């Protein structure tokens, strides 16, 4: 697929950055039956699948990881010294993530002596020179300095979960200066997360004011006599050496000695059996259903599937997923019919679709219900698109109230506490809460 500019797109993933984010975003107790932690690996793998099965998959895809000490450690002993050591339960998962990448035929880019950021910056530059636009997926704002006409940076979003994608205009709107000046900003203010000292006495506001007046650190010192604030001038004079050291530490290198083969990063076919074998070892059974081409629990031996979901034919049979009929409830008659069925049900399974995992901040988007296998109902109540084709939330709540509060009809859910809180936030206390499949899974396979 191409970008709006008509150019092909390369997606680069900050490997350690994404692994760390998933490690802390997904409950640490997630593991195989044998006790191997898998939360970071699962989140990382799910992100890969979302990318390669999206409606707009990238033309090229690669991941970069840090490897050992870098020139910054040699330059400044205290660089990143305040960071906590990588947890052992995450360290063991990095190798597993590499296994998953190999199974998907996604290349990893690493260079001794340099951070992943440097490799990402270099590859983005080389791709741009070959007419390819790059999107860097990371949780590290340092990479925003790489934003330019051919490179964008995707950061995790806020409460809505939507990612923030920065181009030059978005960066300027957020920070007030150019992306390339972020290095000078960190040279002035420092960065506590990387233990970069900056210029003592220069805060973010002063740094921003300076960078809207001067091009960067060199320009600031070239016009030091023009700075009206005596406090800022004194700080800059005394902290000059620290400022230039900090700029060197903060600057991402874009000329790392790396042999970059763009075609090696092209998204291409992968061996389904190899991927399935990795998923079975990690017990990622649910992710098997999300692979391009369908959800065969026993993959066809040797079958190749495209990353973009173009399933190849085979004469060998596969196990198919059960067929589920989904009913979208968008008018009052359909809602009344559903409520009548709910009222006569022996049990009700329900789920909420929301804008956030934070139940106190989330807005309700839709309500899903089921009373028997193979058939489900979905009531949209907060969709932005086609908003006129959905029922009023208050009306839906009142119609559902009799069945969802009937003490003789047990209610079932997955992480049911979350959904119950969401419903109560909207005036409906669902009861009785009879069974939570997430808890059941944990008890059965801790």
């Amino acid at each position: 697929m191409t970008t709006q500019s008509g150019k092909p797109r390369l997606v680069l993933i900050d490997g350690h950055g994404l692994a760390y984010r998933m490690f802390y975003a997904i409950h640490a107790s997630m593991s195989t039956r044998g006790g191997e932690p898998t939360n970071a690996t699962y989140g990382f793998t799910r992100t890969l699948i979302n990318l390669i099965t999206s409606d707009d998959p990238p033309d090229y895809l690669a991941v970069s990881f840090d490897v050992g000490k870098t020139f910054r450690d040699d330059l400044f002993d205290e660089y990143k010294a305040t960071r906590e050591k990588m947890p052992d339960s995450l360290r063991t998962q990095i190798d597993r993530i590499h296994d998953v990448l190999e199974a998907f035929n996604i290349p990893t880019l690493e260079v001794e002596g340099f951070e992943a950021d440097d490799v990402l910056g270099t590859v983005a530059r080389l791709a741009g020179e070959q007419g390819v636009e790059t999107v860097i997926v990371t949780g590290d704002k340092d990479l925003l300095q790489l934003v330019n006409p051919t490179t964008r940076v995707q950061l995790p979003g806020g409460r809505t979960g939507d990612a923030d994608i920065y181009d030059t205009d978005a960066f300027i709107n957020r920070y007030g200066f150019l992306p390339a000046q972020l290095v000078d900003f960190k040279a002035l203010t420092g960065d506590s997360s990387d233990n970069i000292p900056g210029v003592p006495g220069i805060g973010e506001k002063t740094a921003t004011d300076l960078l809207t007046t001067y091009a960067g650190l060199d320009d600031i010192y070239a016009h030091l006599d023009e700075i009206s604030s005596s406090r800022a001038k004194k700080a800059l004079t005394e902290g000059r050496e620290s400022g230039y050291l900090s700029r060197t530490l903060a600057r991402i290198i874009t000329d790392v000695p790396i042999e970059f083969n763009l075609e090696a990063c092209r998204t291409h076919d992968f061996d389904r059996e190899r991927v399935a074998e990795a998923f079975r070892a990690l017990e990622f059974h649910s992710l098997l259903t999300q692979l391009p081409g369908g959800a065969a629990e026993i993959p066809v031996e040797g079958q190749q599937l495209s990353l973009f979901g173009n399933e190849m034919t085979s004469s060998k049979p596969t196990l198919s997923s059960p067929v589920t009929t989904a009913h979208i409830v968008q008018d009052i008659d359909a809602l009344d019919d559903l409520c009548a069925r709910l009222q006569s049900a022996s049990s009700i399974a329900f789920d909420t679709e929301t804008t956030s995992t934070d139940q106190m901040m989330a807005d309700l988007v839709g309500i899903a219900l089921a009373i028997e296998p193979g058939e489900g109902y979905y009531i949209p109540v907060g969709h932005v698109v086609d908003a006129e084709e959905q029922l009023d939330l208050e009306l839906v709540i009142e119609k559902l109230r009799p069945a969802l509060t009937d003490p003789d009809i047990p209610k079932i859910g997955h992480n049911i506490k979350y959904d119950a809180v969401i419903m109560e936030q909207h005036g409906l206390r669902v009861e009785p809460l009879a069974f939570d499949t997430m808890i059941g899974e944990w008890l059965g396979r801790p």
Side-chain angles (χ1 to χ4, degrees):
M1 298 294 289
T2 57
T3 60
Q4 290 183 347
S5 66
K7 296 180 179 180
R9 187 175 77 246
L10 163 67
V11 170
L12 295 174
I13 296 176
D14 174 8
H16 276 102
L18 181 59
Y20 261 100
R21 177 165 177 78
M22 292 305 171
F23 179 76
Y24 289 107
I26 299 175
H27 202 285
S29 63
M30 184 176 183
S31 63
T32 65
R33 282 173 286 184
E36 178 184 347
T38 56
N39 56 333
T41 311
Y42 177 84
F44 200 108
T45 304
R46 188 176 60 189
T47 299
L48 291 178
I49 291 177
N50 288 343
L51 270 173
I52 63 183
T53 62
S54 70
D55 293 333
D56 186 27
D59 301 271
Y60 306 94
L61 179 61
V63 182
S64 185
F65 291 92
D66 296 321
V67 283
K69 292 182 63 176
T70 73
F71 72 93
R72 295 180 182 88
D73 299 297
D74 296 330
L75 185 64
F76 185 52
D77 289 339
E78 299 302 312
Y79 180 64
K80 293 189 176 181
T82 55
R83 285 197 178 184
E84 294 184 4
K85 182 182 177 182
M86 180 186 290
D88 290 339
S89 54
L90 173 57
R91 188 179 302 279
T92 61
Q93 296 185 66
I94 298 299
D95 287 341
R96 281 296 202 179
I97 289 172
H98 276 83
D99 291 342
V100 170
L101 290 168
E102 289 180 11
F104 275 113
N105 286 334
I106 297 173
T108 56
L109 309 173
E110 301 170 345
V111 179
E112 288 284 348
F114 295 91
E115 294 183 35
D117 292 1
D118 302 315
V119 176
L120 294 171
T122 299
V123 170
R125 176 184 63 80
L126 294 171
E129 292 174 355
Q130 297 181 54
V132 174
E133 292 191 355
T134 298
V135 177
I136 299 174
V137 179
T138 182
D140 187 352
K141 292 182 180 179
D142 291 350
L143 285 151
L144 289 171
Q145 65 184 270
L146 298 175
V147 169
N148 60 43
T150 63
T151 302
R152 292 175 293 162
V153 171
Q154 177 178 312
L155 294 172
R159 294 192 178 103
T160 64
D162 295 331
D164 294 325
I165 300 180
Y166 285 86
D167 57 13
T168 300
D169 289 340
F171 182 93
I172 294 173
N173 289 337
R174 169 66 177 82
Y175 290 95
F177 48 83
L178 294 171
Q181 291 177 295
L182 182 60
V183 175
D184 303 286
F185 181 80
K186 288 183 176 293
L188 293 167
T189 63
D191 186 342
S192 59
S193 65
D194 289 340
N195 205 33
I196 296 175
V199 175
I202 299 296
E204 293 187 358
K205 184 180 185 307
T206 300
T208 301
D209 290 342
L210 288 169
L211 292 174
T212 55
T213 305
Y214 304 103
L217 198 64
D218 292 336
D219 199 27
I220 291 170
Y221 278 107
H223 297 85
L224 191 60
D225 293 340
E226 300 175 6
I227 296 174
S228 58
S229 170
S230 58
R231 183 190 60 79
K233 185 183 297 185
K234 182 175 185 293
L236 287 165
T237 301
E238 295 176 351
R240 182 184 185 115
E241 183 178 348
S242 179
Y244 275 98
L245 170 64
S246 298
R247 188 177 69 172
T248 300
L249 295 172
R251 173 173 284 149
I252 293 175
I253 304 300
T254 59
D255 58 356
V256 170
I258 182 174
E259 294 183 6
F260 173 60
N261 183 351
L262 180 63
E263 281 305 307
C265 300
R266 184 176 290 279
T267 46
H268 53 287
D269 293 349
F270 62 91
D271 188 326
R272 182 182 177 83
E273 172 58 35
R274 187 177 179 189
V275 172
E277 181 181 352
F279 282 12
R280 285 195 294 267
L282 291 162
E283 299 176 10
F284 291 168
H285 305 297
S286 64
L287 294 185
L288 277 170
T289 67
Q290 299 177 37
L291 287 177
E297 180 67 22
I298 303 176
V300 178
E301 183 178 356
Q303 179 178 347
Q304 296 284 328
L305 292 179
S306 165
L307 282 179
F308 297 154
N310 300 320
E311 186 172 5
M312 301 182 71
T313 59
S314 171
S315 61
K316 297 183 180 181
T318 62
L319 299 181
S320 60
S321 299
V323 176
T324 298
T325 302
H327 305 279
I328 309 300
V329 179
Q330 295 175 289
D331 58 63
I332 190 65
D333 290 338
L335 180 61
D336 285 339
D337 289 343
L338 169 60
C339 291
R341 295 198 66 186
L342 293 174
Q343 198 65 62
S344 61
S346 58
S347 63
I348 298 173
F350 80 101
D351 181 47
T352 61
E353 294 300 324
T354 64
T355 59
S356 172
T357 56
D358 184 338
Q359 57 199 18
M360 305 309 293
M361 301 297 296
D363 293 323
L364 187 58
V365 173
I367 304 168
L369 303 117
I371 58 177
E372 60 186 30
E375 190 169 22
Y377 296 83
Y378 180 70
I379 311 172
V381 294
H383 286 241
V384 176
V385 180
D386 298 328
E388 69 279 0
E389 297 183 10
Q390 57 192 1
L391 294 164
D392 178 73
L393 174 58
E394 292 186 8
L395 172 65
V396 170
I397 292 294
E398 290 310 310
K399 289 285 188 179
L400 292 177
R401 189 180 303 279
L404 293 187
T405 59
D406 191 323
D408 295 324
I409 305 176
K411 313 306 186 297
I412 301 166
H414 190 79
N415 192 15
I416 198 169
K417 180 180 177 181
Y418 173 88
D419 299 303
V421 170
I422 291 294
M423 296 296 283
E424 189 159 358
Q425 292 274 79
H426 292 82
L428 176 53
R429 185 181 182 86
V430 179
E431 51 188 2
L433 304 181
F435 188 72
D436 187 327
T437 55
M438 187 173 74
I439 295 174
E441 171 70 6
W442 167 250
L443 292 173
R445 301 200 301 174

